[in-house]
Amino acid sequence: MTKRTSSAPLEDWDRKYLWHPFTQMQEWAQETPLIIERGKGSALFDTEGRVYLDGTSSIWVNLHGHRRLELDRAIKQQLGKVAHSTLLGLSNPPAIRLARELVRIAPKGLSRVFYSDNGSTAVEVALKMAVQYWQQRRPNAGPKKTFLHLKLAYHGDTVGAVSVGNIELFHSRFKPLLFPTIAAEPPYCYRCPLKLTYPSCDMACIDPVERMLKTRHRELAGFIVEPLVQAAAGMIVQPPGYLKRIRELCTQYEVLLIADEVATGFGRTGKMFACQHEGVTPDLMAVSKGLTGGYMPLAATLTTEEIYRAFLGKYEEFKTFFHGHSYTGNPLGCAVALANLEIFRKEKTLAGLRPKIAALARWLPPLKQLDHVGEIRQRGLMVGIELVRNRATKTPYPVGERIGHRVAREARTRGLLMRPIGNVIVLMPPLSASLAELQRMAAIVEASIRSL
Ligand SMILES: *Cc1c(COP(=O)(O)O)cnc(C)c1O
């Protein structure tokens, strides 16, 4: 325990000056804010010295734990050189080295790296690249200017990313700002939109997707998907072969496949990228969250030489990709991202995940015995537990009951930080969490659900 610090003025100032994301501030103002002061490994410590397990990887970004010596050091070393310089007309060593490293580990065929600052901007870049690509490469392919996406998709909070997203609660307010898109039913097997059962359904949900591609491909610049797991939808796990089939269809109908690996990238599903489970190379791939191991805001959009080449020409042809952010290729971010990827190599992180993933797959299913657990979904270290009022009928809890929120509250008093998505309890531990820590997280989740 650290010495008790006085957090009273901080609590007041938080209520007085801050506006928290995705937060009803009227509620927030009546609670005592939990103020995190430091971290170590899978643990976070508040200003009162209380310790919590980081069950969300600090909202899906942390990989190798907090205060990793190598990552701290990478930032300090880079600080000794320069904190920031620009990629507009200049370059810098960490940005160059990181691009090379990303190409090395990415699905084969992705060979170019364009930096931005967060998952939403990485998606925006992919959307704009796709539209401009068709204009310059194949103007006769159609007015390819919109996108196909899945319902319940989440690709970020900026306006373009919201346009291709489909989470009613987050997005409905902003409809007047959005561009038109085409939405397909997701493979949400627990609540199958076609009322079928996997695997006897033979993935019938792909058929309407194929029909849309077939009839509307001339309008479609791309199909954007979260490969394998629709995370913010409540960890909806796609059946094996789904992504591969989407890849085949996109190729067949000449629609670019955009993989949003912002949540799934960097080991979260058990492989470096989710696409690699199915041997899929997308045409564009957005990464962020885990890219710096949870240290700095940084993102990248990777693409193929085919797409890159469509942007080459004389200046006055105006084929340039006119897009960029002030902090594009930030050296501190790129330096820590390099050190982050180096840990994967040095510690064989991916191989080390296998026993952890298997252990969670043993510890979680018994929770299905609990009265209100409808489904447990796990892919790698991404877990969603869907709570229902009635298991037989799969009747959801009314939103107003805030069941997920209440379970997370219980978990917090037991020393585990979680952030639910509606009625889905989400567990996304750092890849570095030990077996003992994972077991403790699973036990706290169980006790918290039981207590309600
Ligand atoms: C979090 C997330 C984003 C948005 O990333 P930000 O860094 O929050 O802008 C985009 N896509 C997916 C799949 C995500 O999980």
Side-chain angles (χ1 to χ4, degrees), residues 146-155 163-167 180-189 191-194 203-216 220 222-226 230 233 236 238 242 246 249-250 255 257:
T146 189
F147 294 87
L148 182 59
H149 61 85
L150 294 178
K151 291 190 182 164
L152 304 178
Y154 178 77
H155 296 293
S163 291
V164 291
N166 186 251
I167 294 192
T181 58
I182 305 174
E185 293 291 346
Y188 187 3
C189 297
R191 299 182 185 280
C192 177
L194 303 172
M203 282 201 302
C205 55
I206 291 269
D207 299 343
V209 173
E210 174 161 19
R211 273 198 299 281
M212 287 173 192
L213 285 166
K214 194 171 176 170
T215 55
R216 304 190 66 177
L220 289 169
F223 184 177
I224 182 165
V225 281
E226 296 163 78
Q230 281 187 270
I236 296 177
Q238 296 159 2
Y242 183 86
I246 295 291
L249 290 171
C250 285
V255 169
L257 176 62

Side-chain angles (χ1 to χ4, degrees), residues 60 118-121 123 154-157 226 231 260 262-263 288-289:
W60 313 357
N118 59 69
S120 308
T121 54
V123 166
Y154 178 77
H155 296 293
D157 290 334
E226 296 163 78
D260 178 353
V262 172
S288 184
K289 291 198 169 105

